[in-house]
Amino acid sequence: MRRTATAAALLLAAILTGCAQPRPGPGAPKPGIALSAVAFASLPGWAQDRPSQAVPGFIAGCRQMAAAAAGQTLGGQGEALARGGAPLQWQAACDAAAAVPPGDDAAARRFFESYFTPYAVADTTAPRRPALLTGYFDPEVEGSRAPGGRYRTPLLGRPNDLVQVDLGEFSMDLKGRSVAGRVQDGHLVPYYDRAAIEAGALARRRLELLWLADPVEAFMLQIQGSGRVDLPNGHVVRVTYAGQNGRPYVSIGRVLIERGDIPRDQVSMQSISAWLHAHPAEAAQVMNQNPSYVFFRELDGVRADEGPPGALGVPLTPERSAAIDRAFIPLGAPLFIATTDPVSGRPLEKLMLAQDLGGAIRGPARADIFFGWGRAAEERAGRMRADGRI
């Protein structure tokens, strides 16, 4: 896929002063997070950023942490877990954030420099390998409350037999990991894959929330995990992630490269979508190469100018929210990401927050930037793929 200039994303771990990279095969070393302290002055663009824009999202995350159940973990591994894995560890920073005047970048910069230390992040299995930065957005698609005419692709709600298991409750070594399946004869077995679901495995469950006009848009909506559905009467329905079938995510961009259908240097969300629309007879078979399937729920009470809620339960903020792998990085942690805008080519150097997760976001050297909604966000998210270091 398209590669841009070197990027850097630096995790900011809390000072405790009272406060798709592929999975390794069998026998391969397990990824781990390595943290090296660096100076704020070494963060490219730190002095030019407007960190006050990240403070409201940080405070919203603090509210979620304060409401967390006793013993609940935010994730992280090693020092990241030890310093920021427990909600109570953030209390002093959260209290101080509430006193930062809105829009005051100097005060916000002093706050982050006072309560956090930047750490360069690396993967212990390949410490010199670049990090991977991608992007996602909140898509807008056409749909209907009832099937008929153009509206024949169902958007499914979560089935009641889907069981999701937090493996961290069974073993400390598995914190941040989960599996999903269904119970059959007293055993947890894998849930139906995409091909089985598309063939009608859930057809009699009455899970249809909405009916979309375009199966390719439905597929892309699942990859993004949330979206806005425009109804024929002019109303807009917000939908968001309600569960996933537990099957591994497979990039159909990689499938199309291996088939020779799209050159590697031309693969983007836009080129994939264009190919699927141009080859309707083959599109379903190609999309079924990704066995992962996402279920949705309707989202009420969210303003039109707000992003969908991420895994932390906080509305995502364009270019200030990012998805991470919480097996290595705690949810809620500030991230300073320095990369290149995929459309303009200009530096993109901003303080962001680890507020979301993603099926394809695996490993410590990985972040997925939320770009917002609308055509511009779609263009940037679809083309965002930057190598870098953490």
Side-chain angles (χ1 to χ4, degrees):
M1 297 186 75
R2 173 186 166 110
R3 297 183 181 275
T4 59
T6 296
L10 293 109
L11 166 67
L12 303 180
I15 295 178
L16 301 184
T17 54
C19 29
Q21 292 165 355
R23 291 180 181 272
K30 293 182 179 180
I33 188 171
L35 300 178
S36 303
V38 297
F40 272 96
S42 71
L43 308 186
W46 171 248
Q48 292 74 42
D49 188 25
R50 298 199 59 194
S52 66
Q53 296 177 353
V55 172
F58 180 79
I59 293 174
C62 287
R63 289 194 288 267
Q64 294 298 108
M65 293 179 193
Q72 184 173 336
T73 180
L74 299 169
Q77 184 190 83
E79 193 170 6
L81 171 64
R83 286 183 170 238
L88 283 177
Q89 292 173 307
W90 297 82
Q91 185 172 342
C94 287
D95 291 344
V100 176
D104 190 332
D105 290 314
R109 191 170 285 106
R110 286 194 299 271
F111 159 69
F112 285 108
E113 291 179 353
S114 298
Y115 283 88
F116 295 88
T117 297
Y119 284 83
V121 180
D123 187 333
T124 57
T125 63
R128 296 184 180 276
R129 185 173 63 195
L132 176 61
L133 300 176
T134 51
Y136 66 118
F137 74 110
D138 203 25
E140 192 166 2
V141 301
E142 293 184 70
S144 172
R145 288 285 186 188
R150 303 166 54 226
Y151 307 109
R152 298 194 174 277
T153 302
L155 199 66
L156 301 184
R158 177 178 175 143
N160 58 15
D161 65 340
L162 175 63
V163 178
Q164 292 186 294
V165 181
D166 181 355
L167 296 177
E169 296 181 0
F170 296 86
S171 172
M172 289 293 292
D173 293 340
L174 298 174
K175 275 190 175 296
R177 294 299 188 196
S178 63
V179 296
R182 58 191 177 92
V183 177
Q184 179 175 298
D185 298 327
H187 298 280
L188 185 68
V189 299
Y191 206 76
Y192 304 108
D193 64 10
R194 175 178 296 279
I197 294 172
E198 293 290 358
L202 303 177
R204 298 184 179 181
R205 304 283 188 90
R206 298 183 179 179
L207 300 174
E208 298 85 359
L209 296 177
L210 297 160
W211 298 82
L212 304 190
D214 185 342
V216 174
E217 288 187 344
F219 180 83
M220 296 297 179
L221 188 63
Q222 288 193 32
I223 292 176
Q224 301 304 316
S226 66
R228 303 161 188 240
V229 181
D230 297 329
L231 303 182
N233 62 7
H235 292 168
V236 177
V237 178
R238 302 287 294 275
V239 294
T240 192
Y241 177 93
Q244 189 257 359
N245 65 346
R247 300 284 184 157
Y249 175 84
V250 172
S251 167
I252 66 167
R254 184 177 302 168
V255 171
L256 292 172
I257 291 172
E258 293 172 350
R259 285 165 47 112
D261 292 312
I262 302 179
R264 182 179 299 274
D265 62 354
Q266 294 180 22
V267 172
S268 67
M269 186 179 67
Q270 287 81 359
S271 66
I272 294 170
S273 180
W275 189 94
L276 293 172
H277 282 115
H279 300 82
E282 301 174 71
Q285 186 272 333
V286 170
M287 290 188 287
N288 284 344
Q289 296 300 302
N290 176 19
S292 174
Y293 196 95
V294 171
F295 303 101
F296 292 88
R297 64 180 175 87
E298 290 192 33
L299 187 62
D300 298 319
V302 178
R303 302 195 312 264
D305 61 347
E306 282 186 333
L312 192 59
V314 174
L316 302 177
T317 304
E319 297 183 50
R320 295 293 177 182
S321 299
I324 46 80
D325 186 346
R326 69 173 176 179
F328 305 97
I329 295 175
L331 275 170
L335 303 165
F336 190 82
I337 292 180
T339 184
T340 302
D341 187 287
V343 175
S344 70
R346 293 192 291 268
L348 177 60
E349 300 166 340
K350 290 189 174 184
L351 181 67
M352 302 187 190
L353 300 162
Q355 295 180 323
D356 207 2
L357 308 172
I361 313 305
R362 298 294 183 185
R366 190 73 175 89
D368 203 27
I369 301 170
F370 178 67
F371 280 101
W373 49 91
R375 291 296 181 186
E378 178 179 359
E379 177 75 6
R380 296 172 74 198
R383 298 186 183 281
M384 182 66 196
R385 190 175 180 88
D387 282 345
R389 65 177 181 81
I390 295 184

